[in-house]
Structures are given as C-alpha cells and as structure tokens.
C-alpha cells in the first residue's frame, strides 16, 4: 500500500513537471520573437517590391509644388521630398530595384561560384590548382572595391550593378563549395559507392553535391543583406541606372544634400536598408542554426 502511494506521488510529480515544461515551451522566447519580427519585416518589404501600387498611398512620380519638403505627418507619414513627392511611396517603389540587386546577384554569385568550387574540388589536380589560383587573385581584392571597378568599367546600368555585386561574391562561394566537396568525397560511403562500380558522375550528382549544399544555402541567405548594401553603395556613388523611381541607394544620394533642412528624405531610405539587412541576417542565422548538426542535436 505504501509503495502504491509513493508511486502515485512520483507519477503526479512527473506529470506536474511535464506540464510545467510544456507551458515553458509554449512561451515565446525573446529570440523567437525577434526572429518572427524579422520575418514580418522581410515579408512586408518583399510585398512592397512585388505589389508597390497596392501599398503606396500616392504615385511615386506625383509632384505637388505646394507640399515641397513637408515633414512627416498623417497625410505623408515619411514626409515629402524636394519635388513634393511622398517619400513613403518613393521608398516603397524603390524597394523593387534594391531587392532585385540583392536576390539576383546572390543567385548568380552562388551558382557560378558553387560550380567553380564543385568542379575544382571534385576533379582536383591541375584543374583545382588553376581555378583556385584565379580565385586567390580575386580574393586579394576587397569585394566592394572589385564591385566598384566592375560597375565603373561596365557603365551605369541595373544589370551591370547586379553583375558587379555577383562577381565580387563568387570567390567566397567557390571557396566554401570546394571545401565541402573535398570533405565529403573522402568519406566512407563515397568509397563504398566507388567500390561497387558506380560512375563518378553518378556519385557526384547523387551523393557528393546534395550533401554539400547546406553551407551554400546559409551563405546565400546571409549574403543577400551584404549584396543589398553593396548595391546601395554603388547606386549611392552614381554607378546605377538613372531612373525616374530610384532605388534606396540612389535615394540616399539624392537626399544627402537636404540633410540639414529635410532629414526625412534620406533617413527613411536608410532605415529601410538597415531594417531589411538586419532582418535578413537574423533569418540567415536561424537557417544556419537549423542546418547545423551540432545545433540540432543540442
């Protein structure tokens, strides 16, 4: 009887402890709240780029001479610029080119650098030596300086800025991919596949490449923010396209001359860049933690 009572007490205690842990797990940790906030910011800015006309209250080209350089108000939440345009509407429409530079340049840089690193790491020998020496030469030049030189040589154009930012990121992706390929191709399951007569191409496509992509996804997620910053810097220097609706970097450049009299013209585009880059980096860190085997075991 006594043993039954003790057993019941132990069961009740473990049940209470389990309920307490369940309540604790249901609570939103500060880190999770930060991640969810970052996801909302990223989704909102992506929505601005995809559907600017639905979000912006005014046309970005509408000029009102009676509302020139008006401070933020209920009518114009971000104020107006030197043409009387609504700054919020201009920032919303300008997000399209900024995000286009970030996402396409990362895609081009990741695919190109990944292909170079995969070929060099898997084939090895002379091919690896030649490819990596070229990558080493590119890595001696700072990424921003390399992008600046390429953009200046190609001329002012949106796609030239994309190519310049992508070219500056290729060495990093190539190095990471090569390291992953070389690490995986020497593992026992690859040796076992070779021993049963599987072709080198089949081993690469079915075993080596899929197991090498996780670091590339993480690097690409974090690299989007860097690409947007680099693209904004190039546009700030006037190497981007001169357009009726400029991107965030060009808005910063145009508004810097009015900083003392109309601070909101360049402040809000700068905040948009800061919020998006910070949010995308937080999400990139989360992706890294999820794909890291050590973190998932913990």
């Amino acid at each position: 009887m006594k043993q039954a009572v003790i057993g019941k007490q132990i069961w009740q205690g473990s049940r209470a402890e389990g309920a307490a842990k369940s309540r604790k797990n249901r609570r939103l940790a500060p880190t999770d709240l930060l991640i969810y906030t970052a996801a909302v910011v990223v989704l909102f800015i992506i929505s601005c780029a995809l559907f600017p006309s639905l979000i912006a209250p005014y046309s970005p080209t509408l000029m009102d001479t009676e509302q020139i350089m008006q401070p933020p108000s209920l009518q114009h939440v971000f104020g107006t610029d030197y043409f009387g345009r609504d700054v919020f509407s201009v920032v919303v429409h300008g997000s399209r080119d900024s995000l286009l530079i970030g996402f396409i340049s990362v895609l081009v840089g990741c695919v190109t650098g990944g292909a170079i690193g995969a070929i060099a790491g898997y084939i090895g020998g002379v091919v690896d030596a030649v490819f990596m020496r070229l990558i080493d030469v590119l890595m001696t030049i700072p990424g921003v300086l390399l992008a600046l030189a390429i953009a200046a040589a190609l001329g002012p154009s949106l796609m030239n800025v994309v190519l310049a930012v992508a070219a500056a990121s290729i060495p990093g992706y190539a190095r990471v991919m090569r390291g992953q390929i070389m690490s995986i191709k020497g593992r026992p399951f690859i040796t076992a596949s070779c021993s049963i007569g599987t072709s080198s191409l089949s081993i690469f496509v079915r075993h080596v490449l899929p197991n090498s992509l996780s670091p590339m996804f993480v690097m690409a997620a974090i690299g989007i923010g860097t690409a947007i910053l680099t693209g904004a810097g190039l546009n700030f220097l006037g190497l981007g396209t001169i357009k009726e609706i400029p991107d965030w970097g060009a808005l910063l450049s145009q508004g810097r001359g009015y900083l003392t009299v109309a601070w909101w013209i360049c402040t809000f585009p700068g905040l948009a860049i800061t919020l998006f880059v910070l949010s995308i980096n937080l999400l990139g860190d989360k992706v890294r933690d999820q794909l890291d085997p050590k973190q998932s075991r913990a």
Side-chain angles (χ1 to χ4, degrees), residues 169-190:
S169 65
I170 286 176
Y173 290 112
R175 276 288 181 185
V176 170
M177 191 63 172
R178 174 181 177 269
Q180 283 295 114
I181 293 290
M182 295 185 69
S183 172
I184 290 172
K185 75 175 185 178
R187 295 185 180 178
F189 70 93
I190 301 297

Side-chain angles (χ1 to χ4, degrees), residues 18-105:
K21 287 183 178 180
S22 179
R23 287 194 299 270
K24 183 179 179 181
N25 292 334
R26 282 198 299 268
R27 288 185 200 146
L28 197 60
T31 305
D32 294 333
L33 181 60
L34 194 61
I35 294 297
Y36 291 142
T37 304
V40 170
V41 171
V42 170
L43 289 175
F44 175 73
I45 295 179
I46 291 176
S47 300
C48 290
L50 294 176
F51 313 106
S53 300
L54 299 179
I55 297 175
Y58 301 95
S59 170
T61 58
L62 178 64
M63 302 181 186
D64 187 353
T65 55
E66 296 181 357
Q67 297 290 330
I68 291 178
M69 289 193 292
Q70 294 296 313
S73 61
L74 293 177
Q75 186 178 2
H76 301 283
V77 291
F78 284 3
T80 59
D81 63 4
Y82 36 83
F83 289 131
R85 299 177 299 180
D86 181 64
V87 175
F88 177 73
S89 300
V90 176
V91 170
V92 168
H93 283 265
S95 63
R96 175 171 293 177
D97 284 355
S98 297
L99 268 61
L100 193 67
I101 292 172
F103 284 99
I104 294 184
S105 62

Side-chain angles (χ1 to χ4, degrees), residues 81-165:
D81 63 4
Y82 36 83
F83 289 131
R85 299 177 299 180
D86 181 64
V87 175
F88 177 73
S89 300
V90 176
V91 170
V92 168
H93 283 265
S95 63
R96 175 171 293 177
D97 284 355
S98 297
L99 268 61
L100 193 67
I101 292 172
F103 284 99
I104 294 184
S105 62
V106 165
L107 179 62
V108 173
C110 184
V111 172
T112 307
I116 293 173
I119 294 171
Y122 194 68
I123 296 177
V126 177
V127 175
D128 181 36
V130 172
F131 279 10
M132 286 302 105
R133 295 303 73 78
L134 293 175
I135 294 298
D136 289 341
V137 171
L138 292 177
M139 292 191 74
T140 60
I141 307 173
V144 176
L145 183 59
L146 180 61
L148 181 63
I150 295 174
L154 295 177
S157 167
L158 178 63
M159 293 313 299
N160 289 345
V161 171
V162 170
L163 292 176
V165 176

